[in-house]
Amino acid sequence: DAGVTQSPTHLIKTRGQHVTLRCSPISGHKSVSWYQQVLGQGPQFIFQYYEKEERGRGNFPDRFSARQFPNYSSELNVNALLLGDSALYLCASSSDLRSTQYFGPGTRLTVL
Amino acid sequence: QKEVEQDPGPLSVPEGAIVSLNCTYSNSAFQYFMWYRQYSRKGPELLMYTYSSGNKEDGRFTAQVDKSSKYISLFIRDSQPSDSATYLCARNGIFGTGTRLKVLA
């Protein structure tokens, strides 16, 4: 069985641009969460979606938004990129809101 | 005080040593605990999870939760160079900073 997949693997953007990151959960999983991991830190929670509805939001500005599609895949959008947005963006899927989360390989975003 | 605190290390041990990794947490709401292993530039890989106090064993790994002292531990027996990674503890989806472990051959 395929695990959580994310695309793209790497991305380089400049300040002020917009970025869209994509995630496909494990088959049968209905919840997707997004995390930001800055080098040397643990993952920081951004959003959790379950059954296409936002069920949790971390302490991130409104420049960050996400959505979940009917097939349970998800997109994370970041507008007006800042240098500080450079990080590894991780997607995790779980069968429901409180079940074990399984992470994808991440998308490494570099903002120049 | 952070919700989940970990010593960032690095922790260096010789091959074959028993490794002890620790976390403390500050909230007492419903909780489940997880340990993840993360190799450099990769996503975290789930090692163990538990919902209750006490020990849970899986091969060379043992997770221990002490809810009375709000302490979480991961023990690695017969450590191998391939165990060299960052180990993240998490409580209810809130992660610590991770402890970097290096096992020397």
Side-chain angles (χ1 to χ4, degrees):
Chain A
D1 280 345
V4 178
T5 58
Q6 291 186 244
S7 63
T9 305
H10 296 88
L11 204 51
I12 299 175
K13 292 284 189 178
T14 57
R15 281 178 297 175
Q17 284 189 311
H18 162 89
V19 68
T20 298
L21 310 180
R22 296 179 175 83
C23 171
S24 291
I26 292 170
S27 177
H29 282 191
K30 298 181 178 180
S31 180
V32 168
S33 296
W34 287 95
Y35 291 82
Q36 180 195 65
Q37 188 177 24
V38 174
L39 195 64
Q41 298 294 317
Q44 297 293 310
F45 172 71
I46 309 175
F47 289 110
Q48 183 174 30
Y49 277 77
Y50 177 68
E51 288 284 14
K52 303 179 288 293
E53 291 188 4
E54 182 184 306
R55 301 302 292 268
R57 174 185 284 252
N59 188 24
F60 279 81
D62 292 343
R63 299 184 296 108
F64 289 76
S65 63
R67 54 179 175 166
Q68 187 177 32
F69 299 99
N71 67 353
Y72 303 109
S73 67
S74 178
E75 282 183 355
L76 175 70
N77 295 284
V78 187
N79 292 323
L81 286 167
L82 303 174
L83 296 179
D85 295 332
S86 296
L88 180 68
Y89 287 85
L90 295 161
C91 172
S93 81
S94 56
S95 55
D96 55 48
L97 285 172
R98 284 184 166 177
S99 296
T100 305
Q101 292 186 322
Y102 296 88
F103 282 85
T107 294
R108 185 160 297 281
L109 172 65
T110 301
V111 182
L112 302 177
Chain B
Q1 184 183 11
K2 292 183 180 178
E3 284 202 47
V4 180
E5 297 212 45
Q6 269 186 280
D7 185 337
L11 177 64
S12 293
V13 300
E15 183 176 358
I18 296 175
V19 176
S20 172
L21 303 167
N22 304 301
C23 278
T24 58
Y25 63 93
S26 59
N27 194 306
S28 297
F30 167 80
Q31 49 211 342
Y32 55 93
F33 306 94
M34 299 181 184
W35 282 98
Y36 289 85
R37 177 175 62 196
Q38 187 174 26
Y39 292 111
S40 181
R41 297 187 171 271
K42 302 289 186 183
E45 170 195 7
L46 179 67
L47 282 176
M48 302 187 72
Y49 66 91
T50 180
Y51 295 86
S52 57
S53 286
N55 293 352
K56 182 176 181 180
E57 191 172 318
D58 184 0
R60 296 186 296 112
F61 298 91
T62 300
Q64 185 178 79
V65 176
D66 183 345
K67 289 188 178 181
S68 62
S69 55
K70 299 181 180 177
Y71 207 76
I72 314 163
S73 299
L74 178 71
F75 299 97
I76 307 174
R77 291 183 297 281
D78 188 25
S79 56
Q80 304 295 311
S82 59
D83 295 327
S84 299
T86 296
Y87 289 80
L88 297 156
C89 68
R91 187 194 71 82
N92 292 6
I94 307 296
F95 285 81
T97 56
T99 299
R100 206 153 39 96
L101 171 67
K102 188 166 186 178
V103 181
L104 306 171

